Amino acid sequence: MKEKADTLGRIVRIAGPVVGVVGLQNARLHDVVYVGELRLVGEVIRLAGEVATIQVYEETSGVRLGEPVSTAGGPLSVRLGPGLLGQVYDGLQRPLTLLAEQAGAFMPRGVLAPPLDTERKWSFSPALLAGETVVTGDILGSVPESAHLDHRILVPPGVRGRLIEIGQGEFSVQEPIAAIESAGGIRSITMAHSWPVRHPRPVRERRSPKEVLVTGTRVIDAFFPLARGGAAIIPGGFGTGKTVLQHALSRWAEVDVVVYVGCGERGNEMAEVLEDFPRLEDLRTGLPLMDRTVLIANTSNMPVAAREASIYTGMTIAEYYRDMGYDVLLLADSTSRWGEALREISGRLEEMPGEEGYPAYLGTRIAEFYERAGRVTPLGAAGGPRSGSVTVVGAVSPPGGDFSEPMTQSSMRAAGTFWALDYDLSRRRHFPAINWIQSYTLYKFDGTTPDSPEAWEALTKEAMIVLRRESELLEIVQLVGPDALSEAERAVLFTARMIREDFLQQSAFHPVDRFCSLEKARWMLRTILEIHRLIQRAVEADIPLERLAARPIMAEVARMKERSVEEVRALAGRVPENMEGVRV
């Protein structure tokens, strides 16, 4: 962004990442500025009289009063174009891999680098002909960004007119590929453009999220499914498995692109992501998972203020691929660190604190972020309407696992699915440690489940009734002991244990169990519930539960998760004959 000559100011106040500046006469709210002699990147967050308050996205130690400040002439924006996939950026979209090669492991302050490779040539194939009329969002052509995904070059926002020229062949992101004539004259189009991160990209229509996003995790897909284009949160204390669950979602969820935002997470966890993703295999393509992933790394030792930028940068990149007609999964780990950054900046600004010191606008900021999720019809008329989606999953780290704290409560009001991770389950090595009593989903789905929606809902409802009854019976056992239970109640505990251990528990490392299709989940649950019904009838006929539990089929049910869907279907068909003699 080009600097203006009349935008020089000087620093009059420094409070950590918050700097007060006078003399920025033409500055606007959310403009990018360069602070001090080191030209640290910052953003205008308040204008009051002659003083502009700057949120600096880099460490301000050593910056002195009176140092110059200049504006970049525009808001914080990201560069969008071919070459995003496989990259590792910080919250300001600086390519960390490239900067590490140039400056070493410790990146100096104030350093900048182009987010897209300006030298690389891309093979552009046009989709339109010269002379056609185009509007914003039309697909001009495509380049092969990875082995499985074509990067569709769109008419930039705000551009429409007659296509007077379009090229074919090898181009860099800076070279013109087309020219469009409009009322304002002729405009050259390149493969890249910029977009301000705080502004949602426009769409033609927002559609109701009614299609299940298959994640391969049974407890999610069966009991608390997430809609494609929906929003979910994963609250849980330390060690409950938030990061591992998000890694599993990034690998197995049925999406085209993954944007992973490490917002304030520990450096070792982010390093694990950087090491694992290039080695992990994408189930659908057989290629490295990194080939369809964009990583935004903003670890806990990086400046606090940049956490907010990383959240918006990741969302804008996700919306860009959504507008091409792709399904995108945005993973934010962890949004609590973003909330902590908002609290710290609010304190530096001397704002009136809200609950637990968070700013009063915390709920608004969170809602604005999650509202950018959705299933949409993007802009553009050429080639007919297309559909794209951004599904958001945000991890929340409440102190001590207290779900009543403001960050969790504000996120619950904005998201449609709630996967509550439980300390007790994680200590018992039950993973995923999603508490089936506290969790819920608000989404309603059409006929995308393996059975009809009604049949699938009836299965999961019956299973949840058993699990809730187990919770009630365990309270009785704790008060008066197991001898107080009837045989029928002990049978409920037996079935509930099967559901917990043989269905809900799932290994992220087993070659078969790490991913479970909807069809397999259906047959597993049907098998367990059919056995439950037979046992209930047998117990009513005074057949001892111990005799029923000793049946050989029980051992086969315990190994269902490690079997293929065909084997599980065959096992379900053998339930009646294997339980012969207990039916009444």
Side-chain angles (χ1 to χ4, degrees):
M1 289 174 286
K2 186 178 179 181
E3 270 185 33
K4 299 180 182 179
D6 59 347
T7 56
L8 288 177
R10 59 185 179 84
I11 300 174
V12 296
R13 176 178 178 267
I14 303 173
V18 176
V19 173
V21 178
V22 296
L24 293 179
Q25 303 297 333
N26 297 320
R28 294 170 297 180
L29 198 63
H30 300 313
D31 269 3
V32 172
V33 297
Y34 300 111
V35 178
E37 296 174 356
L38 293 174
R39 294 177 60 81
L40 307 180
V41 180
E43 183 182 19
V44 179
I45 58 174
R46 177 192 288 173
L47 294 170
E50 295 183 353
V51 179
T53 303
I54 310 299
Q55 176 178 264
V56 185
Y57 290 128
E58 300 186 75
E59 175 61 48
T60 58
S61 60
V63 177
R64 297 169 296 177
L65 298 178
E67 288 194 30
V69 177
S70 58
T71 66
L76 181 65
S77 303
V78 293
R79 193 71 175 155
L80 303 170
L84 290 170
L85 294 183
Q87 291 292 334
V88 183
Y89 296 111
D90 71 350
L92 304 179
Q93 208 195 7
R94 294 182 293 192
L96 296 180
T97 305
L98 176 61
L99 293 177
E101 295 173 356
Q102 295 178 350
F106 298 96
M107 188 174 69
R109 291 180 293 168
V111 64
L112 295 174
L116 301 177
D117 189 343
T118 58
E119 302 296 328
R120 180 175 177 179
K121 297 287 187 177
W122 297 91
S123 179
F124 175 73
S125 300
L128 300 176
L129 299 175
E132 295 189 56
T133 299
V134 295
V135 297
T136 296
D138 280 349
I139 299 175
L140 292 172
S142 62
V143 300
E145 186 172 10
S146 71
H148 87 288
L149 187 139
D150 285 337
H151 191 110
R152 296 162 183 167
I153 308 300
L154 309 176
V155 176
V159 178
R160 61 185 304 152
R162 188 171 65 90
L163 185 64
I164 61 174
E165 182 183 352
I166 187 166
Q168 180 175 2
E170 303 289 323
F171 298 91
S172 70
V173 294
Q174 293 181 319
E175 295 175 330
I177 59 167
I180 297 176
E181 182 182 30
S182 62
I186 297 177
R187 175 168 175 174
S188 295
I189 304 298
T190 64
M191 289 191 286
H193 67 275
S194 299
W195 185 263
V197 298
R198 293 182 181 272
H199 296 279
R201 289 175 64 90
V203 299
R204 178 190 295 182
E205 177 189 10
R206 298 189 72 88
R207 305 165 66 178
S208 179
K210 292 186 176 181
E211 180 183 348
V212 175
L213 176 65
V214 178
T215 66
T217 302
R218 280 188 298 272
V219 63
I220 292 175
D221 293 341
F223 290 166
F224 315 109
L226 174 61
R228 190 181 301 275
I233 63 170
I234 313 175
F238 177 77
T240 52
K242 297 185 298 295
T243 301
V244 173
L245 182 56
Q246 286 201 323
H247 289 187
L249 294 175
S250 66
R251 186 176 186 188
W252 305 115
E254 291 186 348
V255 294
D256 301 303
V257 177
V258 175
V259 180
Y260 188 98
V261 182
C263 178
E265 281 302 289
R266 293 177 294 277
N268 62 328
E269 289 191 358
M270 204 66 213
E272 183 180 350
V273 174
L274 296 175
E275 291 176 358
D276 288 350
F277 276 36
R279 291 189 283 107
L280 291 176
E281 180 182 313
D282 184 2
L283 176 69
R284 293 185 295 171
T285 65
L287 301 172
L289 184 60
M290 197 67 187
D291 284 4
R292 64 179 178 103
T293 303
V294 183
L295 294 180
I296 312 295
N298 189 263
T299 54
S300 55
N301 63 329
M302 291 182 176
V304 170
R307 295 177 186 176
E308 186 173 16
S310 67
I311 288 288
Y312 290 118
T313 295
M315 177 58 79
T316 306
I317 293 174
E319 288 178 335
Y320 176 57
Y321 281 99
R322 174 206 68 189
D323 290 348
M324 297 182 200
Y326 293 121
D327 294 314
V328 186
L329 175 63
L330 173 65
L331 301 169
D333 189 12
S334 144
T335 57
S336 290
R337 309 291 179 253
W338 172 31
E340 291 169 4
L342 291 175
R343 179 167 57 185
E344 179 171 336
I345 298 299
S346 176
R348 302 282 187 179
L349 294 173
E350 300 178 356
E351 296 174 335
M352 182 67 70
E355 187 179 358
E356 295 189 17
Y358 286 100
Y361 49 80
L362 174 69
T364 302
R365 291 285 180 87
I366 293 174
E368 289 174 348
F369 169 67
Y370 283 106
E371 283 171 359
R372 292 175 70 171
R375 184 164 166 256
V376 306
T377 301
L379 297 176
R386 57 187 182 275
S387 175
S389 68
V390 173
T391 306
V392 178
V393 178
V396 186
S397 305
D402 178 16
F403 292 170
S404 65
E405 59 90 34
M407 196 68 197
T408 305
Q409 290 297 310
S410 298
S411 300
M412 287 174 64
R413 287 190 286 269
T417 301
F418 182 75
W419 299 324
L421 299 185
D422 191 289
Y423 263 129
D424 291 335
L425 289 176
S426 63
R427 280 197 292 263
R428 298 204 303 263
R429 317 308 296 170
H430 178 111
F431 292 106
I434 295 177
N435 186 301
W436 46 86
I437 303 298
Q438 293 179 290
S439 302
Y440 62 82
T441 183
L442 300 178
Y443 295 109
K444 300 296 182 183
F445 303 101
D446 52 22
T448 55
T449 50
D451 282 322
S452 67
E454 295 78 14
W456 181 241
E457 185 177 352
L459 273 179
T460 56
K461 184 177 181 179
E462 184 179 355
M464 282 300 299
I465 289 174
V466 173
L467 291 172
R468 291 182 184 277
R469 180 58 178 156
E470 179 201 34
S471 179
E472 298 170 358
L473 293 175
L474 289 177
E475 292 181 5
I476 297 175
V477 169
Q478 290 177 345
L479 289 174
V480 296
D483 294 337
L485 300 181
S486 65
E487 194 77 354
E489 291 171 332
R490 291 174 56 211
V492 171
L493 293 182
F494 177 80
T495 304
R497 189 178 69 179
M498 278 199 299
I499 296 174
R500 286 189 288 105
E501 298 180 359
D502 304 335
F503 184 78
L504 296 181
Q505 271 189 304
Q506 188 170 353
S507 172
F509 305 102
H510 192 278
V512 175
D513 194 34
R514 59 189 179 183
F515 175 84
C516 182
S517 66
L518 282 177
E519 184 182 4
K520 180 179 175 180
R522 176 196 64 175
W523 284 109
M524 291 177 68
L525 198 55
R526 284 183 61 177
T527 301
I528 293 174
L529 293 177
E530 178 65 19
I531 291 175
H532 169 65
R533 299 184 199 104
L534 293 173
I535 287 178
Q536 288 289 334
R537 296 169 191 163
V539 167
E540 291 173 2
D542 295 329
I543 299 178
L545 179 61
E546 290 76 9
R547 175 183 163 191
L548 303 173
R551 291 275 173 163
I553 196 172
M554 301 303 178
E556 295 187 63
V557 170
R559 293 192 296 271
M560 276 193 306
K561 61 179 73 174
E562 302 173 1
R563 302 290 186 255
S564 67
V565 62
E566 292 79 13
E567 293 174 304
V568 175
R569 188 189 304 116
L571 175 62
R574 297 200 309 271
V575 167
E577 64 184 65
N578 279 268
M579 297 294 286
E580 190 68 38
V582 304
R583 289 185 294 174
V584 179

